[in-house]
């Protein structure tokens, strides 16, 4: 009798673990799709962008070549021109690396080491100079790799581009001295260094590049470096940082091979093949409506030698969406998206969920005169 009960118990455990693995690994993302949005576009709107922002139930889309920002009204299901800025002249702001909409009459454009503030009529209201800070690269606010300014309770978070730090500087001593973020208060026009540093735990197995994706809102900030599964969570109110290892069954083959290589001795194609051979984090989004965190990751792959470098890096063929509880950072679900369907660097969070774009150029069903968005609600995973 004992042997029978023991066998039954063992089989029960196997079934439990099998069900658990199926829950995390074998989920179909389409089971969580709540809406498909089709938006007609004309020649004035390019179907991909490096900078977009969801604000007050609307999406703002930057067309850098045309120096415009269009507004997408989800109720009317159409784009309309919101702003056309100038690069030169009395109200010229140069060639900005993204934008940040603070409100409808206060739009910030980072250009080099300066931050231009213009109103809804594209008139320059102020220019803030950050060259006095120990910046290691120009200011940017881009949705690509989720490097966009964030509205925290103590001000607007500005990134200092840790991805541009020379690898000759990267060691634990540098991490103890380096602050990668500033906080700018638009009311007082004062700027201070955010009391956030990367934990030296990142380099326990040796140094690596520290380019990062970040997301947050109000009292919380999440930061994830490109080649590591260690997430930093910063509590604005308590002014403390906690570390969390993000579990993943798919995005886990991280390496320091590219860091240890000598890019100057290789061709651009060889460097790209080495960079994408291993796993990397390509995006991070916080969903305050559902208390979830979405990590977008590349699993790593052997690339063809005759690859179109520019097209591949801009339009990765596929990626993984991992869903975590924002409090415990427990993995709730993971989705290996189909090849050549979703745009790897285009996503945002709205009240309705995670929004992914379907305009991959290698998808035969993709249309040049239409932007398609699928909305996913993962609240059932909790």
């Amino acid at each position: 009798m004992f042997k029978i009960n023991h066998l039954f118990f063992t089989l029960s455990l196997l079934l439990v673990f099998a069900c658990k693995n199926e829950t995390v690994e074998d989920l179909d993302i389409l089971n969580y799709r709540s809406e498909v949005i089709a938006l007609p576009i004309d020649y004035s709107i390019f179907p991909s962008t490096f900078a977009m922002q969801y604000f007050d139930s609307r999406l703002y889309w930057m067309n850098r070549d045309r120096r415009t920002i269009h507004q997408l009204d989800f109720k009317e299901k159409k784009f309309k021109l919101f702003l056309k800025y100038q690069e030169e002249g009395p109200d010229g702001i140069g060639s900005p690396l993204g934008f940040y909409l603070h409100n409808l009459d206060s739009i910030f454009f980072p250009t080099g080491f300066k931050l231009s503030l213009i109103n809804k009529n594209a008139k320059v209201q102020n220019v803030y100079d950050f060259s006095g800070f120990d910046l290691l690269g120009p200011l940017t606010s881009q949705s690509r790799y989720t490097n966009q300014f964030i509205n925290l309770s103590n001000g607007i978070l500005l990134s200092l581009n840790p991805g541009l730090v020379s690898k000759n500087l990267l060691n634990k001593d540098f991490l103890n001295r380096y602050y990668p973020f500033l906080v700018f208060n638009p009311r007082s026009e004062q700027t201070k260094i955010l009391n956030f540093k990367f934990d030296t735990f990142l380099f326990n197995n040796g140094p690596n590049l520290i380019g990062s994706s970040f997301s947050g809102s109000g009292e919380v900030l999440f930061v994830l470096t490109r080649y590591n599964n260690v997430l930093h969570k910063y509590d604005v109110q308590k002014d403390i940082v906690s570390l969390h290892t993000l579990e993943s069954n798919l995005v886990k083959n991280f390496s320091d091979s590219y860091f240890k290589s000598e890019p100057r001795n290789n061709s651009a194609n060889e460097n790209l093949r080495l960079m994408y051979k291993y796993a990397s984090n390509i995006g991070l989004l916080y969903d305050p409506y559902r208390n979830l965190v979405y990590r977008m990751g590349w699993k790593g792959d052997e690339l063809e030698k005759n690859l179109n470098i520019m097209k591949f890096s801009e339009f990765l063929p596929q990626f993984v969406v991992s869903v975590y509880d924002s409090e415990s950072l427990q993995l709730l679900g993971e989705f290996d998206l189909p090849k050549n369907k979703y745009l790897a660097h285009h996503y945002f969070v709205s009240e309705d969920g995670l929004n992914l774009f379907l305009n991959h150029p290698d998808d035969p069903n993709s249309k040049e005169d239409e932007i398609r968005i699928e909305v996913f609600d993962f609240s059932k995973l909790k």
Side-chain angles (χ1 to χ4, degrees), residues 47-113:
S48 66
T49 182
F50 75 101
M52 60 178 163
Q53 181 184 347
Y54 184 77
F55 178 83
D56 196 21
S57 299
R58 292 177 174 85
L59 183 67
Y60 294 82
W61 187 272
M62 187 175 191
N63 297 278
R64 190 177 182 183
D65 291 344
R66 298 185 180 278
R67 299 181 293 279
T68 61
I69 295 177
H70 279 75
Q71 179 194 81
L72 165 58
D73 190 313
F74 286 94
K75 292 182 179 179
E76 298 181 7
K77 297 290 190 300
K78 67 178 183 180
F79 280 98
K80 62 181 179 181
L81 181 64
F82 171 69
L83 181 74
K84 184 173 178 61
Y85 60 87
Q86 304 297 318
E87 292 187 349
E88 299 177 352
D91 290 299
I93 58 175
S95 182
L97 296 176
F99 73 99
Y100 172 72
L101 189 70
H102 186 59
N103 60 54
L104 294 181
D105 202 35
S106 298
I107 306 99
F108 291 94
F109 288 88
T111 307
F113 300 109

Side-chain angles (χ1 to χ4, degrees), residues 290-317:
R290 292 160 187 78
N291 293 320
L292 296 173
V293 170
Y294 310 119
R295 186 261 293 270
M296 275 57 74
W298 166 256
K299 293 185 297 183
D301 196 7
E302 290 281 357
L303 305 183
E304 301 174 3
K305 292 185 178 181
N306 59 348
L307 190 70
N308 184 325
I309 299 173
M310 295 300 293
K311 182 179 179 181
F312 182 89
S313 59
E314 185 173 359
F315 303 106
L316 293 179

Side-chain angles (χ1 to χ4, degrees), residues 149-312:
F149 294 173
I150 297 173
N151 189 30
L152 298 178
S153 61
N154 58 351
I156 301 173
L157 182 85
L158 313 179
S159 169
L160 301 187
N161 271 319
L164 297 177
V165 176
S166 170
K167 68 178 184 180
N168 296 325
L169 297 174
L170 292 172
N171 53 49
K172 287 190 174 184
D173 181 60
F174 175 81
L175 293 186
N176 279 324
R177 296 181 286 107
Y178 180 58
Y179 295 89
F181 298 107
L182 300 176
V183 175
F184 173 70
N185 188 320
R187 291 185 178 180
S188 64
E189 299 186 332
Q190 298 296 309
T191 304
K192 66 178 183 179
I193 295 173
L194 185 72
N195 186 31
F196 174 100
K197 293 184 289 186
F198 290 114
D199 196 283
T200 57
F201 178 80
L202 281 178
F203 289 175
N204 273 4
N205 296 319
N208 207 334
L209 300 174
I210 57 171
S212 58
S213 298
F214 52 88
S215 185
S217 177
E219 301 294 341
V220 65
L221 169 68
F222 300 92
V223 185
L224 184 65
T225 56
R226 196 82 70 237
Y227 304 106
N228 202 299
N229 60 1
V230 177
L231 180 136
H232 291 67
K233 181 179 180 180
Y234 176 70
D235 188 308
V236 177
Q237 189 69 30
K238 296 180 180 178
D239 193 28
I240 58 174
V241 178
S242 57
L243 295 185
H244 307 265
T245 300
L246 296 183
E247 180 188 352
S248 175
N249 299 304
L250 299 171
V251 184
K252 55 186 179 180
N253 184 29
F254 295 102
S255 172
D256 59 359
S257 296
Y258 182 74
F259 173 80
K260 291 180 177 178
S261 69
E262 292 295 336
R264 289 174 294 182
N265 298 334
N266 302 324
S267 68
N269 194 296
E270 289 171 331
N271 287 327
L272 186 76
R273 293 180 71 240
L274 180 59
M275 181 184 298
Y276 286 106
K277 182 178 180 179
Y278 302 98
S280 61
N281 301 306
I282 62 173
L284 187 73
L285 289 175
Y286 169 54
D287 185 342
Y289 309 103
R290 292 160 187 78
N291 293 320
L292 296 173
V293 170
Y294 310 119
R295 186 261 293 270
M296 275 57 74
W298 166 256
K299 293 185 297 183
D301 196 7
E302 290 281 357
L303 305 183
E304 301 174 3
K305 292 185 178 181
N306 59 348
L307 190 70
N308 184 325
I309 299 173
M310 295 300 293
K311 182 179 179 181
F312 182 89

